Amino acid sequence: MRKNKASLLAVLLWGVAGGLVIVGNSSAADPVTPRMLSYACAGCHGTNGVSAGPAIPTIAGIDADYFVSAMQGYKKDEWASTVMGRLAKNYSDDQIIAMGKFFAKQQFVPADQVVDSEKAALGKSLHRQHCEKCHENDGASSEGTGVLAGQWMPYLHAALHDYISGMRPMSKNMEAKIDAVLKEHKKAGIEALVHFYGSKSH
Amino acid sequence: MAVRAIEGGVVLMFNVNRRGFLKLTTAAATIPALSVPYIARGAGQKVVVIGGGPGGATAAKYIKMANPQIHVTLIESSKEYIACFLSNEALIGQRTMDSLTISFDSLKKHGIHIIIETVTGIDPTSKMVSTREGNTHTYDRCVVAPGIDFRWDAIEGYNERTSETIPHAWRAGVQTSLLRKQIESMRDGGTLIIVAPPNPFRCPPGPYERASLIAHYFKTHGKNKSKIIILDPKDSFIKKELFIQAWSRMYGYGTQDSMIQWVAGAEGGKVDKIDPKTLVVQAQIEDFKADVLNVIPPQKAGAIAATAGLTDHQGWCPVNQKTFESTLHTGIHVIGDSCIAGSMPKSAYSANAQAKVVASAVMTSLEGREPETPSYVNTCYSIAGHNYGFSVAAVYTFDDDKKTITGKAAVTAPDASPVTLKREVSYAHSWFKNIVADSWQ
């Protein structure tokens, strides 16, 4: 996208300076704008990616690179999904990058949901012990990841289920951390983490 | 600021490319004039949106989001919108009518002027909408989203009057409540008949989802001996393999005890006549006697579309599918169920997606720009039983050569796991919340 804009600007400047134009393929349609592409997602993911929940995640404020890896994962059937794989296959790599940038710019709004404070307290200590290094600021940072703090809990449950069952790939490091949580607390540890992230209203 | 300048340049260049080489010097010379922000050029212009369903509401909201200085008036005949999507859940008591009832109050917060009146005419020459209440509203651009109307003359014995006792329940509200009451009071061992409509119609998987959920209700409410017969003029329908698989797994389909029987068009499923007194349905090969009868009549565009001269000989609205501007009247755009939109189905999601394309097209026309390249999505869920859902999803593009919307609908895999089928139900419920929020809030 950036390249496109730059070259078009160059053409424009040429035109202004010398009345000379290098006309490209005039029959080709203009590229779809990032906004036009992204607005079409809102029927499921909410206006500007802020989901009314609870199973469909908020994608506003997502890290642009993480968005691309998720969409590419869906596109290549490396990430398990219901509709996302079918949808992602229809977007070009450039369009996926453009949508990632669009949603990264949108304001994340934490989910309004009921949490179990005891579970959240255990989750807090587990997070700080195992997860904080990558999911900084108690999961509120989106640097290279999805926003966990304030995300919808049913989505977090499903995502963790998919990581643990091998339906979604994860790094060796994350695998080791999750193994450690499971070894010590079994499923209750995962549940605690979900409640901790769900309790965060930023 | 630099980025804005680049974007302005890009827009300009597209115009130049379209209009050819000779126009360039003119374009270059007018750069100072073009540097007036587009948003200012749309200011003060008036858009009237007719219809407060997912199409109309989303269009009004997204036009306001794009440019708050445009006057947007939404005219709707009902005080509230009652969602048709997921109303099959309400039929069997799994969802309240309240949860389907949507207020227009949040749209007012966007600065949209809501008028509860019934539109009786649109004059494309004077650009004026008139209402039964005797008021007129002028517009620079008009968006029409009236949904569907029924062809009351298509099935002998079934008309608007008989629908008061034999519900269609294809527009949600009292019709949904009426059918629900009849389903609940039907004796065990009774027969419920669904008369399915011919293509095209609102919510293509809807009649089959309805049969599934009613079967689920019978099974879980001591009405195991009851039957559901779908009389269909068609030989196929969307997600057919998935429905039949679900019916086989849950409701004995394919066995002698099947709770659901589907009579295809080739097997004489087309219904010509009903007797509203005896509930005998005359299909093409044999007659069927119903205890509860649900007739979903053949459909056409909402009444105002025909009144305003926006429909073709088949009763639907032909539009430029890139901008949804009517090909019969300039300045009027038609979206949602009533328009002809290539391969997009008549669904709430389609209407919502088309509304965003039309919002952009209205903006560009008011601001004197070329329409942008559209992108459209549709995702539709069907719930066939407890923790058992599936979906169809597609991204659509505008084919510049064929001048039509194209896209390939993909459905849930037939070997989807129970986890997937269960998740599709939870996504259906989340989809409901989000489509409501995105359209009306």
Side-chain angles (χ1 to χ4, degrees):
Chain A
M1 293 306 290
R2 186 175 291 159
K3 200 175 163 191
N4 266 344
K5 278 186 183 171
S7 58
L8 279 161
L9 178 65
V11 172
L12 172 69
L13 293 176
W14 263 99
V16 174
L20 176 71
V21 148
I22 305 152
V23 181
N25 183 358
S26 60
S27 70
D30 301 338
V32 189
T33 63
R35 187 180 57 196
M36 174 68 81
L37 288 167
S38 307
Y39 274 0
C41 310
C44 286
H45 284 281
T47 307
N48 292 331
V50 177
S51 174
I56 300 175
T58 285
I59 52 175
I62 198 169
D63 179 79
D65 293 336
Y66 173 72
F67 179 94
V68 171
S69 57
M71 286 290 280
Q72 291 291 351
Y74 291 132
K75 193 174 174 176
K76 293 170 188 157
D77 289 325
E78 290 165 2
W79 283 37
S81 71
T82 55
V83 298
M84 285 312 301
R86 287 177 259 154
L87 292 168
K89 286 180 183 67
N90 292 287
Y91 292 111
S92 71
D93 294 349
D94 280 347
Q95 287 177 327
I96 287 172
I97 291 167
M99 286 189 275
K101 285 181 183 164
F102 176 89
F103 285 114
K105 275 187 274 184
Q106 308 306 314
Q107 180 69 41
F108 180 91
V109 177
D112 183 8
Q113 56 195 338
V114 180
V115 296
D116 181 320
S117 54
E118 264 181 52
K119 289 177 182 172
L122 171 62
K124 185 177 185 175
S125 68
L126 291 174
H127 169 84
R128 296 212 169 147
Q129 192 184 342
H130 299 289
C131 317
E132 174 65 26
K133 217 168 164 186
C134 294
H135 297 280
E136 291 172 13
N137 300 322
D138 286 345
S141 163
S142 68
E143 193 73 42
T145 74
V147 179
L148 302 182
Q151 186 56 273
W152 287 101
M153 295 199 294
Y155 166 73
L156 291 171
H157 260 297
L160 281 160
H161 168 278
D162 289 0
Y163 280 123
I164 292 165
S165 62
M167 290 159 74
R168 190 186 281 193
M170 59 179 156
S171 66
K172 283 266 176 266
N173 188 37
M174 181 169 163
E175 200 176 334
K177 300 293 183 189
I178 285 187
D179 280 349
V181 171
L182 281 172
K183 200 173 172 191
E184 201 179 340
H185 297 277
K186 307 248 167 13
K187 273 188 179 167
I190 300 298
E191 179 82 3
L193 283 167
V194 167
H195 279 260
F196 171 61
Y197 299 129
S199 72
K200 302 298 287 181
S201 52
H202 291 233
Chain B
M1 292 322 272
V3 173
R4 275 183 194 280
I6 291 170
E7 280 174 356
V10 170
V11 170
L12 174 63
M13 278 317 297
F14 290 153
N15 289 341
V16 171
N17 277 346
R18 282 237 177 74
R19 287 167 190 166
F21 181 78
L22 280 176
K23 290 271 181 184
L24 176 79
T25 44
T26 325
T30 56
I31 278 174
L34 282 176
S35 68
V36 174
Y38 289 118
I39 200 160
R41 283 194 264 150
Q45 305 215 56
K46 285 188 263 187
V47 176
V48 171
V49 179
I50 301 170
T58 308
K61 173 178 161 179
Y62 274 76
I63 290 168
K64 268 291 184 191
M65 275 168 62
N67 187 345
Q69 291 173 304
I70 290 178
H71 291 288
V72 180
T73 302
L74 189 153
I75 311 178
E76 157 65 44
S77 57
S78 308
K79 279 186 195 138
E80 297 161 319
Y81 181 75
I82 304 179
C84 211
F85 43 94
L86 282 189
S87 67
N88 280 334
E89 282 196 329
L91 272 186
I92 62 159
Q94 286 193 341
R95 175 174 288 278
T96 62
M97 288 307 294
D98 266 3
S99 77
L100 297 174
T101 307
I102 299 157
S103 152
F104 298 120
D105 287 350
S106 296
L107 287 177
K108 293 179 191 164
K109 288 179 204 149
H110 290 274
I112 297 158
H113 191 203
I114 308 282
I115 295 178
I116 307 300
E117 288 180 11
T118 302
V119 175
T120 48
I122 309 167
D123 182 345
T125 315
S126 60
K127 295 191 165 183
M128 196 162 72
V129 171
S130 42
T131 69
R132 184 176 294 159
E133 289 73 10
N135 296 317
T136 54
H137 307 274
T138 56
Y139 63 80
D140 294 294
R141 286 271 151 181
C142 185
V143 178
V144 182
I148 52 155
D149 210 337
F150 300 112
R151 294 186 173 279
W152 293 115
D153 57 349
I155 298 170
E156 197 183 331
Y158 195 69
N159 52 46
E160 198 159 9
R161 195 176 48 79
T162 45
S163 77
E164 287 168 17
T165 50
I166 301 167
H168 52 76
W170 218 245
R171 271 193 303 232
V174 285
Q175 282 278 315
T176 316
S177 305
L178 177 62
L179 182 54
R180 182 183 171 187
K181 228 174 273 169
Q182 295 181 357
I183 292 168
E184 281 176 348
S185 51
M186 193 182 88
R187 69 182 169 92
D188 186 22
T191 301
L192 183 144
I193 293 179
I194 298 172
V195 177
N199 290 326
F201 65 102
R202 160 182 285 182
C203 190
Y208 316 97
E209 178 189 64
R210 176 170 290 180
S212 314
L213 286 178
I214 295 172
H216 171 73
Y217 173 84
F218 286 160
K219 214 177 132 181
T220 50
H221 287 76
K223 299 186 192 223
N224 272 303
K225 294 195 285 274
S226 305
K227 299 270 182 222
I228 298 154
I229 302 173
I230 307 166
L231 297 175
D232 206 329
K234 308 180 293 297
D235 290 329
S236 194
F237 52 88
I238 186 78
K239 309 176 189 168
K240 182 183 159 195
E241 289 71 24
L242 291 164
F243 275 111
I244 287 184
Q245 184 181 52
W247 296 345
S248 307
R249 285 174 177 171
M250 292 182 283
Y251 312 121
Y253 192 82
T255 70
Q256 286 239 307
D257 294 328
S258 179
M259 200 174 249
I260 297 174
Q261 183 191 351
W262 175 61
V263 184
E267 296 159 2
K270 183 174 181 293
V271 170
D272 298 315
K273 186 179 174 182
I274 66 150
D275 183 335
K277 288 208 178 73
T278 58
L279 300 189
V280 169
V281 180
Q282 188 183 309
Q284 289 204 317
I285 294 175
E286 56 177 311
D287 291 357
F288 296 82
K289 166 88 175 77
D291 291 277
V292 172
L293 180 55
N294 170 216
V295 179
I296 306 164
Q299 292 157 33
K300 59 183 179 180
I304 186 62
T307 310
L310 297 167
T311 51
D312 67 8
H313 62 288
Q314 290 179 313
W316 302 102
C317 303
V319 293
N320 171 340
Q321 295 176 21
K322 187 174 182 180
T323 62
F324 293 94
E325 184 166 10
S326 168
T327 55
L328 303 175
H329 289 300
T330 55
I332 304 175
H333 302 253
V334 188
I335 52 168
D337 290 350
S338 57
C339 79
I340 299 166
S343 53
M344 289 186 88
K346 299 190 184 302
S347 70
Y349 203 119
S350 288
N352 170 281
Q354 290 163 10
K356 292 162 187 175
V357 173
V358 95
S360 164
V362 164
M363 296 309 303
T364 50
S365 74
L366 292 180
E367 294 169 1
R369 290 186 280 148
E370 290 287 325
E372 59 174 315
T373 304
S375 176
Y376 335 68
V377 167
N378 177 60
T379 301
C380 282
Y381 291 93
S382 298
I383 301 172
H386 181 61
N387 284 339
Y388 199 112
F390 39 79
S391 55
V392 60
V395 178
Y396 295 88
T397 54
F398 180 72
D399 184 326
D400 241 331
D401 298 325
K402 293 179 184 147
K403 304 292 173 210
T404 187
I405 298 170
T406 58
K408 228 178 161 187
V411 300
T412 302
D415 60 352
S417 69
V419 170
T420 296
L421 298 171
K422 185 179 173 183
R423 279 187 188 177
E424 297 248 26
V425 176
S426 61
Y427 292 142
H429 293 155
S430 276
W431 166 84
F432 179 90
K433 287 187 168 194
N434 277 306
I435 196 108
V436 168
D438 188 44
S439 303
W440 287 275
Q441 288 162 15

